[in-house]
Amino acid sequence: MKLRCFDQQELPFISWSNQRGTTQEIVCWPVNNDFSWRACLTSIDDNSSLGQFPDIERQMVLLEGKGVNLNSPGFFNHSVTTSYQPFDFSGDIHVRSELIEGAVKCLNIMVRRTCWKAETTLVTQPLILPSSHAGLIYVIEGQWTLTGATCQHISKGQGAWWLPDIREGEISPLTANSQLLWADIRPLK
């Protein structure tokens, strides 16, 4: 299995049923409503409720905008205001989102809690990707080279995803100040 590249400019927009945001799905594995893990880009355009996903752990990473307050009475009240810092929460609970100052764009990682654990970090140096893990990389600045991928170079707004046992995979920055987000999706068994 090779790393499969994507470009956010080519991902279709799916409007939310309440018309207060959109989703651009990067990967949903396996492809059905009972997914094991999923990654998407989400734009929140107005105050809203986030979708509930039973048995799923969610991770939200702010990419653009001033931020969003997430509130789930009895569980948490948290402001996501620092770019590239993940916030983890349960998909089981009802969460209300209130924009701080205008629309936001976020990277969302969702994993079935009985199968996977996700950890998203900011990467600025070369990295060998673990062959026994699944994952996703998303470039936020600069240009990167990839080995073991369906493409050789990626830049801002592009990335790649993979399933376990890729057998190869390495990323390296090509320009100064290059940054990407790496969602390391580790199997629990």
Side-chain angles (χ1 to χ4, degrees):
M1 169 58 120
K2 290 184 178 268
L3 284 71
R4 297 182 186 212
C5 297
F6 67 89
D7 186 329
Q8 75 173 15
Q9 299 295 332
E10 298 172 0
L11 299 173
F13 287 90
I14 302 165
S15 293
W16 293 1
S17 59
N18 63 14
Q19 303 300 310
R20 295 185 180 191
T22 59
T23 298
Q24 290 179 280
E25 189 166 271
I26 298 168
V27 58
C28 183
W29 185 80
V31 182
N32 62 35
N33 291 333
D34 191 27
F35 61 86
S36 183
W37 70 276
R38 178 182 185 216
C40 61
L41 298 169
T42 301
S43 295
I44 304 173
D45 301 324
D46 201 353
N47 297 340
S48 183
S49 292
L50 302 181
Q52 287 182 259
F53 296 90
D55 302 319
I56 297 294
E57 289 299 315
R58 297 182 69 160
Q59 196 170 79
M60 177 183 278
V61 183
L62 181 65
L63 299 174
E64 297 174 11
K66 298 290 184 181
V68 60
N69 292 317
L70 300 178
N71 183 22
S72 183
F75 294 99
F76 65 83
N77 187 8
H78 181 80
S79 295
V80 178
T81 56
T82 305
S83 296
Y84 318 133
Q85 295 296 313
F87 175 64
D88 296 352
F89 59 100
S90 171
D92 295 305
I93 58 179
H94 179 266
V95 177
R96 176 98 178 129
S97 65
E98 294 181 9
L99 298 172
I100 293 174
E101 191 178 315
V104 296
K105 182 175 184 176
C106 301
L107 173 66
N108 285 288
I109 306 293
M110 298 181 214
V111 296
R112 188 150 313 275
R113 72 174 54 97
T114 56
C115 303
W116 305 94
K117 172 73 175 159
E119 182 178 349
T120 301
T121 55
L122 185 66
V123 176
T124 59
Q125 301 294 320
L127 178 69
I128 296 174
L129 302 168
S131 63
S132 60
H133 299 190
L136 174 131
I137 52 175
Y138 178 75
V139 177
I140 52 178
E141 196 65 48
Q143 295 181 350
W144 293 75
T145 183
L146 291 85
T147 58
T150 57
C151 61
Q152 295 180 345
H153 298 94
I154 54 175
S155 57
K156 185 175 181 176
Q158 298 176 326
W161 63 271
W162 61 94
L163 299 175
D165 299 322
I166 57 173
R167 303 204 192 334
E168 57 183 280
E170 187 173 342
I171 55 174
S172 298
L174 290 173
T175 57
N177 302 318
S178 289
Q179 299 178 331
L180 61 75
L181 290 168
W182 170 36
D184 184 17
I185 302 173
R186 299 184 308 274
L188 294 179
K189 297 176 185 179

